Structure formats: C-alpha cells, structure tokens
C-alpha cells in the first residue's frame, strides 16, 4: 500500500469514519460539527479528496445516498505517519525520539510503568530471553 497523504483536516473526517462506518456525508458532518464547525459541503469536499487519494470508498445505499467507509485501517495510517515523523524530525533514530518524549512529556507513574514494560518486552524479544 502506498503512503496515504492525509491532511490534518482530513484526519478529523477519517477519525469519524474509523469510529463508525459506513456514514453519509451528512452524518459525518453532524458528528464532527461540534469540534470543527464545518458545514456538510466542506465535509463532502474532504470526502471527495479522500476518495481520490484511495483512503475512503463509497457505495450507494438503497435510497441512492452515498455512504463512506475507510479503505485503510487506522493502525496502518498511524504507522505510516509515525515513520514519516520519525524520519523527518529524528532522521529515523528511535532513541532520540524516546528520550525527547520521556523528557518533555508529563507522564504518569502508570504510563512510565507501561513504557518500561514495552521496552523490557522489546529487549526480551530482541535477545530471545527474559531479562
């Protein structure tokens, strides 16, 4: 699959579709209007762009109204976006990214414990034994 190029505004529409699909343009607009203030025509324009990009598909319901669904999984797009960010900002180096976020984020004790567990699991997987 080619890397999807989803703008920040389009990401909002995608989130609505990942949350619930299929949806009409009107339903998407209604669900995101409280946070965006966008009219249904704005949402229709974005849905059209997302269809052109191949990340959204549509079909017509029995009333002839278009219903939209994501053509890509959220997890796949998150992975692509993460890789792009890592390469652009940290030149592909994971360690500086982790240090940056650990140093500049307000992590709770529970979040720190989860991160430690993830790192311990990664080390175990890499070395093939329990640390």
């Amino acid at each position: 699959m080619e890397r999807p190029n989803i703008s920040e505004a389009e990401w909002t529409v995608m989130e609505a579709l990942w949350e619930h699909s299929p949806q009409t343009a009107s339903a998407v607009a209604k669900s995101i209007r409280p946070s965006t203030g966008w009219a249904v025509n704005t949402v229709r324009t974005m849905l059209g762009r997302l269809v052109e990009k191949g990340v959204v598909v549509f079909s017509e319901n029995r009333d002839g109204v278009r219903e939209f669904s994501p053509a890509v999984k959220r997890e796949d797009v998150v992975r692509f976006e993460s890789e792009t960010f890592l390469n652009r900002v940290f030149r592909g180096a994971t360690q500086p990214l982790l240090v940056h976020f650990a140093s500049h984020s307000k992590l709770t004790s529970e979040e720190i414990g989860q991160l430690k567990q993830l790192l311990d699991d990664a080390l175990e997987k890499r070395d093939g034994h329990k640390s």
Side-chain angles (χ1 to χ4, degrees), residues 15-69:
E15 287 286 4
L17 291 174
W18 284 319
E19 182 73 27
H20 176 74
S21 285
Q23 288 191 70
T24 64
S26 296
V28 172
K30 183 178 179 183
S31 72
I32 63 176
R33 187 172 295 124
S35 63
T36 65
W38 295 338
V40 70
N41 285 340
T42 302
V43 173
R44 280 193 183 103
T45 298
M46 280 193 248
L47 285 166
R49 288 182 191 151
L50 291 165
V51 167
E52 287 176 13
K53 293 178 180 186
V55 296
V56 168
V57 294
F58 67 88
S59 60
E60 290 189 5
N61 65 17
R62 62 188 167 154
D63 297 324
V65 177
R66 286 184 177 181
E67 293 184 322
F68 298 87
S69 299

Side-chain angles (χ1 to χ4, degrees), residues 1-6 52-55 72 76-77 79-80:
M1 178 170 85
E2 191 176 309
R3 284 187 190 267
N5 182 17
I6 300 172
E52 287 176 13
K53 293 178 180 186
V55 296
V72 294
D76 292 339
V77 179
R79 185 176 61 251
F80 291 145

Side-chain angles (χ1 to χ4, degrees), residues 56-120:
V56 168
V57 294
F58 67 88
S59 60
E60 290 189 5
N61 65 17
R62 62 188 167 154
D63 297 324
V65 177
R66 286 184 177 181
E67 293 184 322
F68 298 87
S69 299
V72 294
K73 294 179 182 175
R74 186 181 191 284
E75 297 79 25
D76 292 339
V77 179
V78 167
R79 185 176 61 251
F80 291 145
E81 292 287 337
S82 299
E83 289 170 4
T84 300
F85 175 79
L86 180 66
N87 289 329
R88 187 180 71 243
V89 178
F90 293 96
R91 297 183 179 146
T94 306
Q95 191 264 347
L97 169 101
L98 294 173
V99 169
H100 172 80
F101 282 112
S103 300
H104 295 88
S105 298
K106 294 179 178 159
L107 299 171
T108 65
S109 295
E110 182 179 339
E111 290 167 332
I112 291 169
Q114 290 171 342
L115 286 172
K116 183 181 180 317
Q117 185 62 52
L118 284 171
L119 291 171
D120 288 344

